[in-house]
Amino acid sequence: MVRRLSTADDGFEATFAALVEAPRAAAENIAAAVSEIVAAVRTGGMTALVDYTKRFDRFDLTAENICVGEEEIAQAESRCDSETLAALDFAAARIRAYHEKQKPEGLRYTDEAGVTLGWRWTPVDAAGLYAPGGRAAYPSSVLMNAIPAKVAGVGRLCLCVPAPDGSMNPLVLAAARRAGVDEIYRIGGAQAIAAMAWGAGPIGPVDVIVGPGNAYVAEAKRQVFGRVGIDSIAGPSEILVVADGANVPDWIAADLLSQSEHDPSSQSILMTDDAGFADQVAAAVEVQLAASPRREIAAAAWRDNGAIILVRSFDEAPALVDRLAPEHLELAVADPEALLEKIRHAGAIFLGRHAPEAVGDYVAGPDHVLPTARAARYASGLSVLDFMKRSSIIGCDPEGLAAIGPAAARLADAEGLPSHAQSIRLRLK
Amino acid sequence: MVRRLSTADDGFEATFAALVEAPRAAAENIAAAVSEIVAAVRTGGMTALVDYTKRFDRFDLTAENICVGEEEIAQAESRCDSETLAALDFAAARIRAYHEKQKPEGLRYTDEAGVTLGWRWTPVDAAGLYAPGGRAAYPSSVLMNAIPAKVAGVGRLCLCVPAPDGSMNPLVLAAARRAGVDEIYRIGGAQAIAAMAWGAGPIGPVDVIVGPGNAYVAEAKRQVFGRVGIDSIAGPSEILVVADGANVPDWIAADLLSQSEHDPSSQSILMTDDAGFADQVAAAVEVQLAASPRREIAAAAWRDNGAIILVRSFDEAPALVDRLAPEHLELAVADPEALLEKIRHAGAIFLGRHAPEAVGDYVAGPDHVLPTARAARYASGLSVLDFMKRSSIIGCDPEGLAAIGPAAARLADAEGLPSHAQSIRLRLK
C-alpha cells in the first residue's frame, strides 16, 4: 500500500515534512577506497588502469584495445536495428536544436564613465563524459551529456564506458558517434574518472567531467572536483504529478511507474484534488505493476517512496510543490499555465495531459540530466553552460580611469591594501 | 630574488610546467573537526552557536544580540567617514548596473513538431552570505557577493559575520545595508555555515551559501554542499600581467604587488617580451616593497610564488596564458584586443595600460569573486546565475505527442524501460 496524505488531516504537516526530508540514497562510506584508486591512477597511469579493469570488469585492457576504434563503432551500429537508430537520430537532432537556443551571448559596451565593460563566453578545451556500462547502459544519457558539450563548442570530448567481461552496448557506441564524441575508452568506475581528471595512458586530461555513474563514480567526481569542473551529483530520480480528476487514470499510473521503474530508491508522487481519482490511479498502478517486467524494482520504489497527496484545492499545490522541488513535475490539469505561474522550484515541468515525462527523457529536446533530492531549489539541469565559462572584460583609458579610479583607491585605503591604491594613483598623476 | 623564466631557455617547458602545477594553498586536515561543528549546530541549534562563539570569538552570544539591528547599523555608518561611504555607494551602483545586464532570459516557443518548449529562470528563495570579520573584513566583498543575489531577485539574503571579542567592522555593516542584505548575524566560522544550511536559533535555512572565509569556512561549505548550493571554493589570488616595454615600470610593479599584498600564497607573474623592461619592473618592485606597510606579506608572496617570464614574441603568450588560466589577466600592450582574441582562459581580463586590476576589485562593475588555481579553464566568476536556476518547460498536445512520442517509446523499449514506453503509447491510442 502506498502512503496517502491529505492536507485536510491534522497530522499533515508532520507527515509531509517527513516525506520531504526522507533520505532515499543510502550513504556509502567509500571515500577511502575511491581515494586510493584516484591516487593509484594519478601516479601509475596505464598500469593502474590495467589492474583495476582486470579486477572490476574482468577484462584484459591493453594499449591496443583501450580505445574503441572507428571500425568497432561501425560494426556495433550494424548490429542495431534501423528503427532504433532512426529514433536516436531524431532525438539527437531535437536535443541539438534545443541546446543551440541556450548558447549564451557575450556583451561589450562603454558605460557613461567611459569604461569598457563586458564579458565573453568560451567553451572549455576538453570534456570527459562517463556512461555506465553493462545492463544499465543508456544511449539516451550519452546524447544528453555529449550534445550540450559539442553545442558549447568543446574541441575534445572523450567518453569512458566500462566493458564488463569485454562487452559493450552497441547503442551506446552508436549514440556516441551521433553526438560527436571524439574518443571512446573502454574503462569504467573511479579509475575512469581519475584517468580523465589527471590523464593516464593514451587519455589526455580534461577540464570538465559529467555523466551518471554508481557510488564510486560519484565519489570520484567529488574528489577530483577543483582539478576539473563536474556536473552535479545525481540522486535517485523523482516525479511529482499534479493531476485533476479529468485525467485518464491509466495514463497517470504509467507516468508514476515510469520513475518507479528506474530504481528502488526512485520517488513517484501523485498530487490531486479528487479522492476518487486517487483511488482509480492507485488501482491502475497495481494492475500495471502486475504486468510489468520491472515490477520488483517499480513495486519497491512505489511502496517505499511513493505517495498520494490529496489537496482540498489546487490553490494548496504551489507551496507543496516548491517544498518538494521535484526533478520532474507534470501539471496534468485544465489550465497548466496558470499553475506554472505560481510554482518556483522544479527541474523540468511538463504541461498538460498529453506531455508524459518520458518524452523529456528521450526526444523533447531539453536535457534529461536534472537536479534531484530537492536541489531544484538552487540548481539547474545540464546545459551548454556546464561546458563554458565567462571571462569578465574591463578596459580603461586615462579618462575612464580618472572617472572611477579615485573611489577605488579610497576603498583600497579603507581595506588597508596600499599597493591596490598605488596601482591606481600612479596612473592618475 | 624572484624566479625568472625565458622561453628561449632549454629547460623552459619543465620550469614553466612546475610553475603551473605548483600547489600554493596548504591542504589542512580539518574535515573531522568541521564535521563535528556542523553536526553540533544541526542538532543543537542556538545552544551550539553560543558555545562555539564563546570558544572561537570570545563573545557571549544571546538571543538578543545575535542579530545586528537597524540602530546598530546606523550607528556604525555614522562612524564611517563620508568620502568612504560615498565610494561604497559609487561602487554599489556600478556593480548593480553591470550585474543587471547579466540577468538571463527565459524563452518559450513551439517547434515545427508542434511541441511547446522553453525554459524559465527563477531566483532561489533565500541566500546566505559569509564575510570574514576582524582585520580581514572587506566591505567590497560584501558588495560583490550580495549585489548579484539581490539583482537575481533573491527574497531573503542573510549575512553572517564573526565579531571577534564583540567587535564588528562598521564599513562591512554599511556595505551590507547598501547591498540590500535583509538579516545580519554576529556569528562566524563553520558554525555560521552550518546555521545557514540547516537553520539554527533565529536563522532560517537558506538555499545557496556564498562568500570567502578561512579553511574552516571553506570545508564547511564543501560539507553542506548538496543540502544547499555553494559558490566555488576560492584559493589564493593571482595576477598575470602581460606587458610590453612601452609601459611605465612603476605602474606594472604596483599591479604585481596589488596581488602579492593579499596573502603570502598569492601569485603575481609578469610576462614580457622586453628583458630590459623586466629588469626595470623587478627593480621597481623592490623599491615599492621596501616602502609598503604590507611588505612582509607581499615580499613573501613575490619571492615564493612570483615570476617573470620572458617571451621571444607575444605570439608565444596566448598558449602560456591559457595554461596558467589566471584569475586576473592584464593585457598592457599596444593592441590588447588582438591579444584578447587569441586567449581563452582567464577569470577577468583588463585591457590596456590604464586598467589596473584594482579597479576591478572595487568599482569597475564586474564581480571580483573569480576562479583561482587554474579553475578559469572551466569556471566563471560569481554572477546572478549563482542565485538563480532554470526549469525546462515541455508541453504537448495530442498532435505534438503523435509527432515525437513514437521515437521516444522506441528508445524506451531499447533501454528496457516498459512504463516509460507505456506512458506514451497509452496516450497515442
Side-chain angles (χ1 to χ4, degrees):
Chain A
M1 286 296 291
V2 73
R3 93 195 68 188
R4 304 278 285 249
L5 291 73
S6 168
T7 57
D9 290 348
D10 278 348
F12 175 77
E13 172 52 32
T15 319
F16 182 73
L19 182 70
V20 168
E21 293 284 347
R24 284 179 290 125
E28 291 185 65
N29 197 0
I30 55 173
V34 169
S35 174
E36 192 183 314
I37 295 172
V38 171
V41 172
R42 187 176 165 185
T43 56
M46 186 67 185
T47 309
L49 291 182
V50 169
D51 288 350
Y52 287 120
T53 303
K54 178 88 178 165
R55 195 187 321 170
F56 297 131
D57 296 334
R58 302 158 306 280
F59 177 69
D60 288 315
L61 199 68
T62 67
E64 284 68 46
N65 69 21
I66 185 171
C67 187
V68 179
E70 281 299 320
E71 201 180 328
E72 184 174 350
I73 298 170
Q75 282 176 357
E77 274 197 6
S78 72
R79 297 206 307 280
C80 301
D81 83 273
S82 60
E83 208 174 325
T84 306
L85 288 178
L88 270 186
D89 285 330
F90 181 79
R94 292 188 56 89
I95 296 164
R96 198 172 287 120
Y98 181 85
H99 285 78
E100 286 281 1
K101 291 186 193 289
Q102 291 191 321
K103 280 187 81 167
E105 296 198 354
L107 184 71
R108 284 290 283 278
Y109 62 101
T110 303
D111 74 4
E112 64 288 354
V115 178
T116 297
L117 293 172
W119 64 86
R120 191 179 63 166
W121 287 95
T122 45
V124 302
D125 287 347
L129 163 57
Y130 187 85
R135 287 187 55 200
Y138 292 135
S140 62
S141 284
V142 173
L143 298 184
M144 292 287 184
N145 281 276
I147 290 173
K150 279 296 169 181
V151 171
V154 173
R156 180 180 152 246
L157 176 59
C158 75
L159 166 67
C160 287
V161 195
D165 300 305
S167 78
M168 300 194 86
N169 181 314
L171 274 174
V172 162
L173 298 183
R177 202 177 68 77
R178 279 160 173 75
V181 168
D182 300 292
E183 306 162 8
I184 306 177
Y185 299 103
R186 213 182 308 265
I187 54 172
Q191 59 274 22
I193 302 301
M196 291 193 282
W198 294 97
I203 307 171
V206 303
D207 302 298
V208 167
I209 298 177
V210 303
N214 64 18
Y216 281 75
V217 169
E219 175 61 24
K221 282 166 69 179
R222 240 185 248 278
Q223 292 189 11
V224 300
F225 174 62
R227 172 72 189 184
V228 299
I230 62 168
D231 61 345
S232 54
I233 307 286
S237 62
E238 310 151 358
I239 191 170
L240 171 58
V241 181
V242 178
D244 60 26
N247 285 282
V248 181
D250 249 356
W251 298 5
I252 302 299
D255 297 353
L256 294 168
L257 290 180
S258 74
Q259 293 306 299
S260 301
E261 74 179 353
H262 269 297
D263 191 277
S265 53
S266 301
Q267 180 166 64
S268 303
I269 299 177
L270 168 65
M271 186 179 292
T272 182
D273 62 350
D274 184 326
F277 177 74
D279 292 339
Q280 291 176 299
V281 172
V285 164
E286 296 306 325
V287 172
Q288 290 184 21
L289 267 178
S292 169
R294 291 178 72 88
R295 65 181 155 273
E296 279 189 38
I297 293 168
W302 179 241
R303 179 189 66 227
D304 296 342
N305 306 305
I308 295 176
I309 301 174
L310 189 66
V311 293
R312 284 163 290 195
S313 134
F314 282 127
D315 292 344
E316 296 177 327
L320 301 175
V321 170
D322 282 338
R323 283 175 69 188
L324 287 162
E327 181 190 16
H328 303 106
L329 173 66
E330 284 185 14
L331 300 179
V333 296
D335 187 357
E337 297 282 355
L339 199 48
L340 175 66
E341 281 305 305
K342 298 176 192 153
I343 287 167
R344 295 194 307 280
H345 309 318
I349 303 171
F350 297 79
L351 303 177
R353 307 188 194 287
H354 299 272
E357 185 278 328
V359 297
D361 284 337
Y362 296 109
V363 298
D367 217 277
H368 80 193
V369 180
L370 293 165
T372 57
R374 299 183 64 229
R377 290 177 297 125
Y378 59 84
S380 310
L382 195 72
S383 79
V384 290
L385 295 182
D386 291 282
F387 301 97
M388 303 184 80
K389 68 278 188 312
R390 194 187 56 245
S391 300
S392 308
I393 294 171
I394 298 169
C396 282
D397 57 14
E399 293 70 34
L401 187 64
I404 68 170
R410 183 85 196 184
L411 291 171
D413 292 342
E415 293 188 352
L417 295 171
S419 292
H420 282 68
Q422 190 168 23
S423 71
I424 295 165
R425 291 202 177 108
L426 284 172
R427 287 174 166 91
L428 292 178
K429 275 179 186 165
Chain B
M1 286 295 292
V2 73
R3 93 195 68 187
R4 305 277 286 250
L5 290 73
S6 168
T7 56
D9 291 347
D10 277 348
F12 174 77
E13 171 52 32
T15 321
F16 182 74
L19 182 71
V20 168
E21 292 284 346
R24 284 179 290 126
E28 292 184 65
N29 197 0
I30 55 173
V34 168
S35 174
E36 192 182 315
I37 296 172
V38 171
V41 172
R42 187 177 166 186
T43 55
M46 186 68 185
T47 310
L49 291 181
V50 169
D51 289 349
Y52 287 120
T53 303
K54 179 88 178 164
R55 196 189 317 173
F56 297 131
D57 296 333
R58 302 159 305 280
F59 177 69
D60 287 316
L61 199 70
T62 68
E64 284 68 45
N65 69 20
I66 184 172
C67 187
V68 180
E70 281 300 320
E71 202 179 326
E72 183 174 351
I73 298 171
Q75 283 175 359
E77 274 197 5
S78 71
R79 298 207 306 281
C80 301
D81 84 276
S82 60
E83 209 173 324
T84 306
L85 289 177
L88 270 186
D89 285 329
F90 182 79
R94 292 187 57 87
I95 296 164
R96 198 171 287 121
Y98 181 85
H99 284 80
E100 286 281 1
K101 291 188 193 288
Q102 290 191 322
K103 281 188 78 167
E105 296 198 355
L107 183 70
R108 286 288 284 277
Y109 61 100
T110 303
D111 73 4
E112 65 287 355
V115 177
T116 297
L117 293 172
W119 64 87
R120 190 179 63 167
W121 286 94
T122 46
V124 302
D125 286 348
L129 164 57
Y130 187 85
R135 289 186 54 201
Y138 292 135
S140 62
S141 282
V142 173
L143 297 184
M144 292 287 185
N145 281 276
I147 290 173
K150 279 295 169 182
V151 169
V154 173
R156 178 178 155 248
L157 177 59
C158 75
L159 167 65
C160 287
V161 195
D165 300 306
S167 79
M168 299 193 87
N169 181 314
L171 273 175
V172 163
L173 298 183
R177 203 178 67 77
R178 278 160 173 74
V181 168
D182 299 292
E183 306 162 9
I184 305 178
Y185 299 103
R186 213 182 307 264
I187 54 171
Q191 60 272 24
I193 302 300
M196 292 193 282
W198 293 97
I203 306 170
V206 303
D207 302 299
V208 168
I209 297 177
V210 302
N214 62 18
Y216 282 74
V217 169
E219 175 60 25
K221 282 166 69 180
R222 240 184 249 277
Q223 292 189 11
V224 300
F225 173 62
R227 173 72 189 184
V228 299
I230 61 168
D231 62 345
S232 55
I233 308 286
S237 62
E238 311 149 359
I239 191 170
L240 171 58
V241 181
V242 179
D244 59 28
N247 285 280
V248 181
D250 250 356
W251 297 6
I252 301 300
D255 296 353
L256 294 167
L257 290 179
S258 74
Q259 294 306 298
S260 299
E261 74 180 354
H262 269 298
D263 191 277
S265 53
S266 300
Q267 179 166 64
S268 302
I269 299 177
L270 168 64
M271 186 179 293
T272 182
D273 63 348
D274 184 326
F277 177 74
D279 292 340
Q280 291 176 301
V281 172
V285 164
E286 296 306 325
V287 172
Q288 290 184 21
L289 267 178
S292 170
R294 291 178 73 87
R295 64 181 156 273
E296 280 190 39
I297 292 168
W302 179 242
R303 181 188 65 226
D304 296 343
N305 306 306
I308 295 176
I309 301 174
L310 188 66
V311 293
R312 284 163 291 195
S313 137
F314 283 127
D315 290 345
E316 295 177 329
L320 300 175
V321 170
D322 283 337
R323 282 175 68 187
L324 287 162
E327 181 189 16
H328 304 106
L329 173 66
E330 285 184 13
L331 300 180
V333 295
D335 187 357
E337 298 282 355
L339 200 47
L340 175 65
E341 280 305 304
K342 298 176 192 153
I343 287 166
R344 295 193 309 280
H345 309 318
I349 303 170
F350 297 78
L351 303 178
R353 308 188 194 286
H354 300 271
E357 185 279 327
V359 298
D361 284 338
Y362 295 109
V363 298
D367 217 276
H368 79 193
V369 179
L370 293 165
T372 58
R374 301 183 63 229
R377 291 177 297 123
Y378 59 84
S380 310
L382 196 71
S383 79
V384 292
L385 295 183
D386 291 283
F387 301 98
M388 304 185 79
K389 69 281 189 306
R390 194 187 57 243
S391 300
S392 309
I393 294 172
I394 299 167
C396 283
D397 58 12
E399 292 70 34
L401 187 64
I404 69 171
R410 183 85 195 184
L411 291 171
D413 291 342
E415 293 188 352
L417 295 170
S419 292
H420 282 68
Q422 189 168 23
S423 71
I424 294 164
R425 292 202 176 108
L426 283 172
R427 286 172 166 93
L428 292 177
K429 276 178 185 165

